[in-house]
Amino acid sequence: EVHLLESGGKVGQPGGSLKLSCAASGFTFSDYVMTWVRQAPGKGLEWVSSISNNGDRTYYEPSVKGRFTISRDNSNNTLYLQINSLRADDAAIYYCAKDFGSGNFVLVWDNWGQGVLVTVSS
Amino acid sequence: DIVLTQSPATLSLSPGEKATLSCRASQSVGNFLAWYQQRPGQAPRLLVYDTSHRAVGIPARFSGSGSGTDFTLTISSLEPEDFAVYYCQQRRSWPPVTFGQGTKLEIK
């Protein structure tokens, strides 16, 4: 059974940094594109970033490009999201999600973690 | 960026009734449209991908249709657990991948 478990959420200060992790199990992690999707309180879903199965290609939503870095450690089955220059509008639940199909970017997500909350407050 | 507009924003129906949810794209997304369900306090759940293909374990009462810019998710006979928020999502032109703003399906 696929399991995705996010961690690292906290209260961050504007301009600060934090790093989210997503521990994956139940599938061959290195075969799949992985993605972060976020949801601001009471709002809809927003795609944040995706990374290829071997980590050589990354893509970002324009408002986070240059501030967020997605990465992965296939030897430890873990996905990461480094968030720098934290802004108030970054406050959200961050979900990691597994691509539906293996290999190339499918960008349909059949398994999601339970999400981790990032709060921004001074 | 492709904008997805969902309608209605809120749909009030009773169990047993049929639900029809709409998603309109600002430009063609071909058939690269998916639907997700999100219950309160839970992560999204994939229902339908590529317009009309049900995901594994999704009941047959859920069906998707459409092409190009106009898409529909139909729930043939509502069960109590179907009352939730539904999102459409396109992957035809990215980045960015985009979602609709959601339709809340509530009990009448």
Side-chain angles (χ1 to χ4, degrees), chain A residues 39 45 95 106-107 109 112-113, chain B residues 36 38 43-44 87 89 91 94:
Chain A
Q39 186 169 36
L45 302 172
Y95 296 100
V106 175
L107 301 175
W109 306 293
W112 298 63
Chain B
Y36 297 84
Q38 188 177 32
Y87 295 95
Q89 172 243 324
R91 63 187 183 99
W94 71 283

Side-chain angles (χ1 to χ4, degrees), chain A residues 7-122:
Chain A
S7 61
K10 66 176 188 180
V11 179
Q13 290 189 330
S17 298
L18 57 90
K19 189 170 187 176
L20 306 182
S21 301
C22 172
S25 61
F27 64 104
T28 304
F29 183 70
S30 58
D31 283 350
Y32 290 85
V33 167
M34 296 295 293
T35 292
W36 290 97
V37 174
R38 68 183 178 182
Q39 186 169 36
K43 303 297 185 183
L45 302 172
E46 181 182 39
W47 172 79
V48 173
S49 181
S50 297
I51 186 168
S52 60
N53 61 321
N54 64 4
D56 65 339
R57 287 169 289 159
T58 58
Y59 299 92
Y60 298 92
E61 197 274 329
S63 74
V64 309
K65 197 170 185 179
R67 300 187 301 118
F68 289 20
T69 302
I70 191 172
S71 62
R72 63 192 297 161
D73 180 348
N74 285 349
S75 62
N76 286 306
N77 295 340
T78 304
L79 174 72
Y80 300 101
L81 186 68
Q82 175 70 44
I83 301 175
N84 295 329
S85 302
L86 196 59
R87 305 186 327 202
D89 61 356
D90 294 325
I93 295 172
Y94 286 73
Y95 296 100
C96 69
K98 168 191 163 289
D99 234 33
F100 174 59
S102 62
N104 210 344
F105 288 82
V106 175
L107 301 175
V108 171
W109 306 293
D110 60 346
N111 291 97
W112 298 63
Q114 87 292 346
V116 63
L117 180 63
V118 171
T119 303
V120 182
S121 175
S122 54

Side-chain angles (χ1 to χ4, degrees), chain B residues 1-5 24-29 69:
Chain B
D1 299 359
I2 294 180
V3 176
L4 299 179
T5 302
R24 177 164 288 178
S26 60
Q27 60 188 274
S28 176
V29 299
T69 60

